[in-house]
């Protein structure tokens, strides 16, 4: 990318002017809506005044990635299992993590068993027509985007493939292996891409709106960023699949097709920024510095 | 790295047990102490109760990197120029930026002129005895650590070299080139490494303690994360070189020598994590996922 003449448009302009056909609607069933308790009192949070809603929208990852966990997440949301749980851990430059702090809340019946074998898929399960080559990478021999998701892969994109831990990605907390987590304990990446977690934790989605409600939470002060006191935990009012919301509240989003010409131009412009601000275009971009553009449709 | 037998110790254990001789004291004159106004009221900030101090410690970068700006930062601190200014911009997954929001506060006399030519140095100015090769990189043909600082470089480490934008690095805000900033407007990286800023902005240091006081601030809601209203800005009580503090308040820090055997073991362990948690060591690490260990001595 970037060998051709510089694009006259910046990456932001390319996204803003991408044709309607370059956008892919995100299925309502792939949207998870997480409402934290409204913002507490406190001048600290002036941009979100006391009582303001704190809604985080998560897009579930495309099939067949992380299939057993994604199915569990849908069941947990349908069972309203997370309602009344909390964000329990916020570790700076790492993750915000939520779930049942007591670790005693009974799980819904019929959750899938999970295992480390499903952290990866065979690349053959990701149709070539849905893939676009991604940039060179330090961690994975190959990268590509699959239906808008950043993927690392072995070989030339054959062999195993796995989603990668970029900012905003949502993963599954677990205990020591062979435990692979159920999906009841989730985390969002709020720092530099922790790529060492790739193939060590399942990734079930990404935050597409409202990540600031997680990333700007106070950091926990005991080991791994857990809150020292129960009162410091941030209450979760509810987590729902979007279709459970009243129709007027159901948001709609689209992502920029990673198969579109606009995407190719966007990726080239991110690697070779020529906005008036830049003196020295990088000539390269890492996969986590190439976020897939998402827009709110409604 | 990592071809040898796995280290029996984790990266954290290697750092915790590194011998005294592996640590290099950070000169008191290289420490900049930034005190935000004490934490405001508000249950939101329970881990930092209302009235708690919010101190951020910045280590200034090693000579001769960013020399004209570092000299200016020392002058600005000595002149108490930042006292009463504010954090004006907090952009999620990017930077927290501070300085004079009015852009009218007169600067001290005798600041250095600055220019883009000083974003890089000639590698010959960075003695080989102070360098350790760094990992493969997407952005730079070569990397190394120089006296504890992450550096990108052309060629095989000859030609030009420049510090890189990792989490916590502190850079100089500027207007459109040829403006290169004075050092009065500073930002700290609070998200995924914005490596496209390398060679586009001067880097004058890194936050070594208290970054949570910047990274957990509310995000600004207008363009580029600026606060919409003046009242939302976060007041800076003072910024001082450490030697100006009362002796009992002067902190002391050391960094793990990037020339030490402990560093080599730490870097290998970060690339091949074998803690019981990990199923699949990455076999690689990117330069910004290899933070130089810093410890507080006093």
């Amino acid at each position: 990318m970037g060998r051709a003449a510089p694009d006259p448009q910046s990456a932001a302009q390319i996204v803003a002017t991408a044709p309607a056909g370059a956008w892919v609607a995100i299925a309502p069933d792939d949207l998870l809506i997480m409402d934290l308790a409204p913002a507490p009192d406190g001048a600290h949070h002036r941009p979100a005044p006391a009582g303001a809603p704190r809604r985080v929208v998560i897009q579930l990852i495309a099939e067949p990635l992380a299939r057993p966990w994604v199915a569990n997440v849908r069941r947990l949301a349908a069972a309203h299992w997370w309602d009344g749980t909390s964000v329990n851990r916020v570790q700076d430059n790492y993750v915000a993590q939520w779930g049942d702090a007591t670790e005693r809340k009974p799980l819904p019946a019929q959750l899938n068993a999970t295992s480390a074998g499903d952290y990866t898929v065979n690349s053959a399960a990701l149709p070539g027509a849905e893939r676009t080559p991604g940039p060179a990478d330090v961690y994975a021999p190959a990268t590509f985007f699959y239906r808008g998701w950043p993927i690392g892969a072995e070989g030339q994109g054959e062999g195993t493939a796995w989603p990668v831990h970029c900012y905003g990605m949502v993963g599954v907390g677990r205990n020591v292996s062979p435990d692979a987590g159920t999906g009841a304990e989730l985390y969002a990446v709020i720092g530099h891409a922790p790529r060492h977690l790739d193939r060590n934790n399942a990734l079930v989605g990404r935050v597409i709106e409202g990540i600031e409600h997680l990333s700007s939470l106070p950091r926990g002060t005991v080991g791994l960023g857990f809150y020292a006191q129960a009162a410091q935990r941030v209450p979760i009012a509810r987590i729902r699949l979007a279709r459970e919301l009243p129709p007027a509240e159901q948001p709609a989003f689209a992502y920029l097709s990673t198969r579109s010409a606009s995407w190719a131009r966007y990726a080239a412009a991110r690697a070779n920024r020529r906005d008036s601000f830049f003196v020295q275009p990088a000539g390269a971009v890492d996969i986590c510095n190439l976020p897939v553009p998402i827009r709110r449709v409604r």
Side-chain angles (χ1 to χ4, degrees), chain A:
Chain A
M1 66 181 68
R3 298 271 177 219
D7 201 303
Q9 290 190 304
S10 71
Q13 290 168 330
I14 291 164
V15 173
T17 59
W23 294 93
V24 181
I26 298 175
D29 271 5
D30 288 343
L31 293 178
L32 201 62
I33 314 291
M34 174 185 194
D35 289 325
L36 303 181
D41 287 340
H44 171 79
H45 232 244
R46 280 176 298 221
R54 294 191 285 180
R55 176 162 284 184
V56 179
V57 181
I58 294 166
Q59 177 191 10
L60 295 174
I61 203 165
E63 288 192 346
L65 299 163
R67 194 194 295 267
W69 296 275
V70 171
N72 286 353
V73 166
R74 293 180 193 281
R75 285 193 191 113
L76 288 156
H80 301 176
W81 188 84
W82 281 292
D83 300 10
T85 65
S86 50
V87 180
N88 306 313
R89 173 192 184 193
V90 183
Q91 184 172 359
D92 196 67
N93 191 22
Y94 206 48
V95 298
Q97 188 166 325
W98 62 93
D100 168 37
T102 71
E103 300 190 37
R104 289 181 193 174
K105 186 169 181 173
L107 291 166
Q110 297 181 308
L111 292 188
N112 289 315
T114 61
S115 75
D118 287 326
Y119 295 152
T120 64
V121 297
N122 190 297
S123 285
L126 308 176
E130 295 285 357
R131 291 194 222 168
T132 304
D137 190 56
V138 167
Y139 292 92
T143 72
F144 55 87
F145 287 86
Y146 169 71
R147 297 177 61 194
W149 294 91
I151 307 290
E154 287 184 335
Q156 303 294 311
E158 298 118 30
T160 64
W162 56 90
V164 300
H165 277 80
C166 297
Y167 191 91
M169 291 290 283
V170 174
V172 174
R174 64 169 172 85
N175 292 316
V176 173
S177 186
D179 181 66
T182 59
E185 183 86 8
L186 296 174
Y187 60 84
V189 173
I190 59 162
H192 185 71
R195 297 287 308 279
H196 52 282
L197 297 179
D198 295 356
R199 293 183 284 175
N200 283 292
N201 286 77
L203 285 167
V204 295
R206 64 181 157 209
V207 176
I208 61 173
E209 191 175 273
I211 194 163
E212 66 275 15
H213 300 306
L214 297 171
S215 59
S216 69
L217 290 174
R219 277 45 179 158
T221 53
V222 296
L224 303 177
F226 282 93
Y227 289 124
Q229 290 140 34
Q232 296 171 330
R233 296 175 191 145
V234 181
I236 294 173
R238 68 196 70 77
I239 297 183
R240 295 282 185 276
L241 286 169
R243 68 174 140 81
E244 270 207 68
L245 268 59
E249 264 193 58
Q250 290 181 19
F253 293 85
Y255 69 90
L256 186 66
S257 168
T258 42
R259 296 288 291 165
S260 67
S262 295
W263 168 264
R265 288 176 57 208
Y266 164 80
R270 291 281 292 190
N272 290 286
R273 302 192 195 212
R274 300 197 184 267
D275 316 32
S276 58
F277 184 79
F278 286 89
V279 180
Q280 171 73 57
V285 65
D286 72 272
I287 192 165
C288 290
N289 201 2
L290 196 49
V292 174
I294 306 277
R295 72 183 176 96
R296 187 162 180 146
V297 175
R298 184 183 67 233

